[in-house]
Amino acid sequence: MIIGVPKEIKNHEYRVGMVPASVRELSLQGHNVFVETHAGMGIGFSDQDYIDAGAQILPSAQAVFDAAEMIIKVKEPQACERAMLRPEQILFTYLHLAPDLPQTRELIDSGAVCIAYETVTDDNNGLPLLAPMSEVAGRMSIQAGAMALEKSRGGRGVLLGGVPGVEPAKVVIIGGGTVGTNAAQMAVGMGADVTVLDRSLDALRRLNVQFGSRVKAVYSTADAIERHVLDADLVIGGVLIPGAAAPKLVTRQMISQMKPGSAVVDVAIDQGGCVATSKATTHEEPTYLVDNVVHYCVANMPGAVARTSTFALNNVTLPYILKLANEGYREALLSDPHLLNGLNVMAGKLTCKEVAIAHQLLYADPSALLAS
């Protein structure tokens, strides 16, 4: 198979779909890899590094899209990239379609086979291709929140861990999954007063075992969210419903009643955000104020630590890339129900039920569509 790796073009996105080591694995199994020039420069890989691994360098994204049977990316295709897709071409990347109707419609119209990292599952009902980026984003959320609380950035002027004689900041984390657990780990390490809310008793028990009394694990209700959010210095939104738009758990009224200068980091922004006042921002302009509350809602947080993120992502995507390349997408999807869960769009039809519900569009069963 011919695999293409274009340079990422989202604002301050330096990650790349494949590192040279991944290219070498594909090359050794007889596949051809075309990489756009300078695609890996953001994480310290030159064109020569890719050539040495067996890739061929092409001068533009258009050349890569024209040549490749399968496109490997990191972030969702931007409008100009979506225009380059063609029927039957495989696109394997993060998509996050539930909050993005224009992208959804254009991918449907393209006729391409669009497989989303974030909806591929595993035997434990986990999301193996989302997990490493959730780990990164969860850890980064505390760094971002700590900066947002600085007075020069519009915050309260509070140090997360406090100092002897001064209370630490109150950090409230909504969601005890991968994002929430990693955020809690960082916040505890910095000495903050940490509360995590979740509806899963198993998640709360796991947090209790992992952190003991250093984290208050609280069952999530509307009342609990309101009470803890209003008392918080920093709120981390880490809620995820696979494939679907994130529920708005922090209301506009709650934001208006929070302490002036407090901060919100909405890690769920890729799926529309779990805070009513959230809107996607960029690394270039990461924050904005609503009712004197600092909002950090960068939609590609892991892109700021691009080298770490790229290697972590490649570790989990490479086996699936090899499977798709070696077997072809039909056989690969039909033989692996977990990879099949990643299929969001195919043959001009929407194959992810959660996205169809979010946009009130028709849904096509992926197994039936592949069989036909």
Side-chain angles (χ1 to χ4, degrees):
M1 184 178 284
I2 301 172
I3 296 101
V5 183
K7 181 179 172 66
E8 296 293 323
I9 58 174
K10 193 163 185 172
N11 180 273
H12 283 278
E13 182 54 74
Y14 304 106
R15 289 173 289 179
V16 63
M18 284 198 291
V19 297
S22 297
V23 170
R24 186 178 181 189
E25 289 294 318
L26 285 156
S27 297
L28 289 173
Q29 295 194 33
H31 304 290
N32 296 318
V33 183
F34 293 149
V35 178
E36 183 181 353
T37 185
H38 305 317
M41 291 295 286
I43 59 168
F45 287 118
S46 67
D47 288 351
Q48 190 60 50
D49 291 326
Y50 282 99
I51 292 169
D52 292 344
Q56 181 178 336
I57 303 300
L58 296 182
S60 66
Q62 185 70 65
V64 171
F65 276 79
D66 287 348
E69 297 168 272
M70 176 163 64
I71 297 291
I72 305 297
K73 280 180 44 61
V74 177
K75 289 306 293 177
E76 71 279 359
Q78 304 303 290
C80 62
E81 295 174 310
R82 299 195 291 267
M84 291 186 268
L85 290 167
R86 64 178 184 269
E88 292 279 307
Q89 191 172 40
I90 306 164
L91 172 65
F92 195 29
T93 188
Y94 288 116
L95 292 176
H96 298 292
L97 295 180
D100 192 343
L101 181 58
Q103 183 194 180
T104 303
R105 289 195 182 281
E106 289 179 25
L107 291 183
I108 291 170
D109 291 343
S110 74
V113 178
C114 304
I115 305 169
Y117 293 159
E118 73 273 10
T119 59
V120 174
T121 56
D122 62 20
D123 291 334
N124 300 314
N125 294 318
L127 303 171
L129 306 192
L130 186 62
M133 296 303 95
S134 295
E135 290 167 350
V136 171
R139 296 180 183 212
M140 287 187 68
S141 69
I142 300 302
Q143 296 177 197
M147 288 189 292
L149 285 173
E150 294 176 8
K151 194 67 179 177
S152 61
R153 298 172 188 265
R156 299 189 71 213
V158 173
L159 183 65
L160 274 192
V163 291
V166 182
E167 290 183 352
K170 290 181 170 61
V171 176
V172 173
I173 302 166
I174 304 174
T178 304
V179 168
T181 300
N182 281 271
Q185 183 176 343
M186 294 295 286
V188 165
M190 294 176 76
D193 178 344
V194 183
T195 299
V196 182
L197 297 102
D198 200 288
R199 284 186 178 271
S200 167
L201 289 175
D202 287 340
L204 297 177
R205 291 189 183 102
R206 174 178 47 76
L207 289 164
N208 186 254
V209 169
Q210 182 172 348
F211 296 107
S213 61
R214 295 175 297 167
V215 167
K216 294 182 279 292
V218 177
Y219 187 79
S220 180
T221 62
D223 180 76
I225 291 172
E226 180 175 0
R227 183 159 40 87
H228 287 284
V229 164
L230 297 189
D231 194 40
D233 296 297
L234 171 62
V235 174
I236 306 296
V239 178
L240 174 70
I241 300 174
K248 304 295 184 186
L249 300 180
V250 178
T251 66
R252 176 62 188 261
Q253 184 177 2
M254 289 182 207
I255 293 293
S256 69
Q257 295 175 338
M258 288 178 70
K259 303 170 187 175
S262 54
V264 169
V265 177
D266 197 343
V267 184
I269 195 64
D270 275 328
Q271 294 295 117
C274 62
V275 178
T277 47
S278 290
K279 61 182 182 182
T281 61
T282 67
H283 288 291
E284 194 169 40
E285 296 183 33
T287 63
Y288 60 93
L289 286 173
V290 175
D291 293 330
N292 288 318
V293 174
V294 183
H295 289 56
Y296 180 101
C297 305
V298 175
N300 59 329
M301 287 178 67
V305 286
R307 189 173 175 90
T308 296
S309 297
T310 297
F311 277 97
L313 183 59
N314 268 225
N315 289 342
V316 293
T317 58
L318 181 59
Y320 294 95
I321 296 169
L322 287 166
K323 184 177 181 67
L324 287 163
N326 289 336
E327 300 178 15
Y329 77 85
R330 289 183 184 275
E331 180 59 34
L333 291 169
L334 287 170
S335 66
D336 186 343
H338 296 303
L339 182 58
L340 181 61
N341 287 334
L343 183 64
N344 279 210
V345 176
M346 177 188 166
K349 299 184 184 298
L350 193 56
T351 57
C352 179
K353 188 173 293 184
E354 293 78 10
V355 175
I357 292 170
H359 296 310
Q360 298 182 327
L361 295 173
L362 292 176
Y363 163 75
D365 179 76
S367 297
L369 190 61
L370 283 163
S372 65

